[in-house]
Amino acid sequence: MSDNDVGVDESAAEAPVDEEDAGTDGVSEDEEGFESLEARIAEATTDELAAEVRTLRERAATAERRIEEQDAAIDELESKLKRKQADFQNYKQRTERQQEELRERATEDLVERLLDVRDNLSRALSQDADADIRPGVESTLEEFDRILDEENVTAIEPDAGDAVDPQRHEVMLRVDSEQPEDTIAELYRPGYEMGEKVLRPAQITVSE
């Protein structure tokens, strides 16, 4: 049988290879990478490969231990933070209870002392209608002022001609007066303050 009967297209067999399809020199980049890896493995001895594997395993184990240590440290920090938050809440609640107890005791103590003042006023009023109760009332007022002084409560009683203090004085009205303009003409009702806190401003009239 002749070559023509075989049906082989010699022109097709001799067709050039497309470099874009086959890569550089007919070999793809992946194939080059595998060939390079195969070449390194082929050149390495069994002992070298075993040592490399051990090294990689040790590195992996070390990385895992570090991750576990970091996770444990994070858990410990989160636990400490939660305990601190709980301790702070307990401290805050305990402090609030103590402050409330102090306020209650202070109020109870003040009321107990004021009860004596009330008793004195009641005794003064229970005297005969023609009796002079002024001395008893004056004594009771002195006792009441003493209690206020013990509580660091002082009266706000500005004099006529003093400058107006909006923080401590309440202007009731403006009147004609011999005092300089825009100064206090007269004290209408005294005010009171405890320390630096104004409990009640003094009511005044202001000179026009």
Side-chain angles (χ1 to χ4, degrees), residues 96-167:
E96 290 176 350
R97 287 196 300 268
Q98 291 174 349
Q99 291 177 345
E100 182 63 25
E101 291 173 357
L102 287 174
R103 284 193 294 267
E104 290 178 356
R105 286 200 295 270
T107 301
E108 291 173 359
D109 179 66
L110 178 60
V111 170
E112 287 177 0
R113 285 180 288 168
L114 291 179
L115 290 177
D116 293 335
V117 176
R118 186 187 184 283
D119 291 340
N120 292 336
L121 288 174
S122 179
R123 279 193 292 269
L125 293 175
S126 65
Q127 295 180 13
D128 295 335
D130 56 351
D132 184 7
I133 65 173
R134 183 178 180 84
V137 174
E138 290 177 347
S139 175
T140 303
L141 180 60
E142 291 176 358
E143 182 181 4
F144 187 79
D145 288 340
R146 178 182 58 80
I147 293 174
L148 292 180
D149 184 64
E150 291 176 354
E151 295 295 327
N152 197 27
V153 176
T154 56
I156 303 175
E157 298 176 311
D159 295 326
D162 288 349
V164 178
D165 184 352
Q167 301 298 325

Side-chain angles (χ1 to χ4, degrees), residues 42-194:
E43 292 175 358
T45 63
T46 303
D47 291 340
E48 291 174 343
L49 290 175
E52 182 68 19
V53 170
R54 285 195 300 272
T55 300
L56 292 175
R57 287 178 177 174
E58 291 174 357
R59 289 179 179 176
T62 300
E64 290 179 357
R65 285 197 301 272
R66 289 179 178 175
I67 292 173
E68 291 175 355
E69 292 172 355
Q70 291 176 350
D71 289 342
I74 291 173
D75 292 340
E76 184 178 359
L77 289 175
E78 290 179 346
S79 178
K80 287 182 178 180
L81 178 60
K82 291 179 180 179
R83 289 197 298 271
K84 291 294 183 182
Q85 290 175 336
D87 291 342
F88 176 75
Q89 290 297 328
N90 292 334
Y91 168 78
K92 183 178 179 182
Q93 294 174 358
R94 185 168 59 254
T95 302
E96 290 176 350
R97 287 196 300 268
Q98 291 174 349
Q99 291 177 345
E100 182 63 25
E101 291 173 357
L102 287 174
R103 284 193 294 267
E104 290 178 356
R105 286 200 295 270
T107 301
E108 291 173 359
D109 179 66
L110 178 60
V111 170
E112 287 177 0
R113 285 180 288 168
L114 291 179
L115 290 177
D116 293 335
V117 176
R118 186 187 184 283
D119 291 340
N120 292 336
L121 288 174
S122 179
R123 279 193 292 269
L125 293 175
S126 65
Q127 295 180 13
D128 295 335
D130 56 351
D132 184 7
I133 65 173
R134 183 178 180 84
V137 174
E138 290 177 347
S139 175
T140 303
L141 180 60
E142 291 176 358
E143 182 181 4
F144 187 79
D145 288 340
R146 178 182 58 80
I147 293 174
L148 292 180
D149 184 64
E150 291 176 354
E151 295 295 327
N152 197 27
V153 176
T154 56
I156 303 175
E157 298 176 311
D159 295 326
D162 288 349
V164 178
D165 184 352
Q167 301 298 325
R168 304 171 72 242
H169 304 153
E170 179 184 359
V171 178
M172 301 300 294
L173 51 90
R174 304 180 72 88
V175 298
D176 292 331
S177 171
E178 296 178 355
Q179 302 302 326
E181 185 178 1
D182 293 330
T183 63
I184 296 175
E186 184 181 3
L187 175 64
Y188 179 75
R189 187 187 70 177
Y192 293 92
E193 58 187 351
M194 178 180 288

